[in-house]
Amino acid sequence: MSDEIHEAARRNPLVSLRAAAFAHRYGPAQFEVTVPSMLPRGSRAWTDRIGVFKRLLEERVRPGHGCRGAVLHGAMGVGVSACAVAFGNENKQLFTDGQLYADLRGPGNMTISAGEVLRLFLERLGMPRDAVPPTTDQRVQVFRQVIAGRRLLVVLDHVTDTGQVTPLLTDDDCVFTVVVAAAEPMPELPLMETEIGPLSGRFPLDLVTSITGEKRIQDGRRKARAAIRLCGGSPFALRALGEHMRDHPQRSWAEAEGEIRALAVGVPDGDPMGLMVRWLYRQLDLSARLFLVPLVVRSWPSFTSTLAAQAAGVSEIEGERMVGRMAECGLVASCGSARYTIRASVRRHLADIMDQDADQRESTVRAMLAVYLRMAVHLDYIALPERWHLSPLYEEAERQTRTEHRRLTVREALEGLRQELPNLLEAIRTAHKMREWDTTWQMVDALWALQLKVGFAEILLPGIRLAIDAARRCGHKRAESRMCFQAAFAYMSLGRLHEADEQLEAALAAAESDGSFLSRASVLEAMALLNLERDTTGPVQGLIGRALDLLGRIPEGDPDAAHTLRARALLIQLIGRERFAAGDADAALDAYRRALIEFDKAKDLYNQARVRMRMALVYRSLQQPIAAAEELDNALGVLNSQTASQIRSAAAEQRAACAQELGRPYEEIRFLEMALRDHEADQRLAAATKVRQQIEAHRRG
């Protein structure tokens, strides 16, 4: 069979393209392993951990075989995570093949599974995203093969359960694993245990002095030492004290020490971190305390001052001032790109301090959910205005967009959704937990543009499952069909086609129960696409025919009639794909041209670009690179402003291949560089390495 395929591919360019696609999709994953550098940068000087580092280094080189590493644990605020990160940053020269890092606490304090961590690690080691195996067991096997014999440091932060860690351990002597236990020690793991205690001896004074300067300490040395002792050796408390006194030179050490001592009486177990959080909170005025409430009531992974201002009902300028004030006093931490976060331990103490009853907390959370939902709908509408919508909030988004002084671009809207994704996932979980069923499915629905144009299928799936349940609970059959449809696309992008099939059957059943012709036609279109993904083209024409018939039955006065033009264009595009798969290039081009006309009428630039990319494949199979290049140039002109980089990079690589076929090396390099920029921006390391090698080979030539 291999010989026959080889001979057919040699004689027929179309067969050659199909065989290459099949080999890429189903062949064994081959990739060049990269050197990952995932450790967070240490932002502050480290003190009093020499003994811990020494024990870790001794464990790394101990005689014998077996798993090498350590479990670090300690009380909140003593800097266990910082110790692990500092160890890696100070000993990078020992781990020449890289450092892997994962925070297993995940967004909103939701634990991350070993399978998700393995996917992240394999991608950072250079494996292409579409080559990562679908199951955890397969990922474990590949991961251990890839890291065998490599001098790697693996840091697993905020681990709550041994099940998160066990699949990530290896008996390879070269790999050193540091586990940061979120609470108790983990004696079940085959790793050395080390407890991290508070700073002692001269180190607390040294740490505060390094922040304030020696002169500030000398201004009130006795009271300064007394205030430092009240911090109990907690690095968090000591840094917060030092930064506050540095930023408020008018305050005396006696005043600060007196306030902290007075508060210590009411702090349970003399917890120095809880004491310092209470003291910092007391420094805020009433308006700042109220501003902080919506940021504390749920575990939002990060936030901007603009969003915080909307939640608190204040101006953006006031919100920026408030967040800056809280960052100065240590209650809020900057996490780059004008975003902020509240550490889990700080949030827990703040929640204990804030005097709110259950009804007030619930009202505050609902207000925050409303802010996130409106924001997501607004961005989704800008990113994909042409699709049909279920939520009434899209009408509001359309009006808002028309009146905006400066409208966001599609790319900016997608980037906004990408940045807020961890918070939106936390909002989805919160809405479902609070039995806010409509909010749950509407928020997932507002992530469709991000899922379609950027990806994140594996990350989105848990939220989509909650949305399916929410739609069923509120009896909204059309929303249930849409959510099952969204789940099916996620499974398709992950190569889990059987599960995609199950979700499409559920989507069709819900659509038939709802009676919507448009919903049923959309599901049949997805079923046709699934068959094309499986290379089973037999049922495709029948599914497309049924879908076109349903669209024709939508009466003119129906609100869905406005969307039939685009829906019909999507089906005609699938006819082109089916004809090309069957080897009829002329019929495929004819269908694609008809689809272009329909998409043009529907003002759908994004899908016009996608159709042109498919037309370019047909032209290349016919050995017409000039025609293919023309279509790709038109597609790139749209994609440069309309969509995420993953699709644009595919178009750029295809355009580079056309330039190669035309014998234009400088043009080929230009488009390869365009693809490289997109791969690097999205951290598709394997694809970036491949393209970079092509560029270097051309330049040497």
Side-chain angles (χ1 to χ4, degrees), residues 585-598:
D586 290 336
L589 285 172
D590 180 63
Y592 285 146
R593 291 188 187 105
R594 287 190 290 129
L596 272 180
I597 293 170
E598 298 298 307

Side-chain angles (χ1 to χ4, degrees), residues 602-615:
K603 296 181 173 56
D604 188 341
L605 296 174
Y606 169 73
N607 275 305
Q608 286 183 59
R610 298 301 301 270
V611 170
R612 291 188 185 280
M613 288 173 66
R614 297 201 173 279
M615 291 177 73

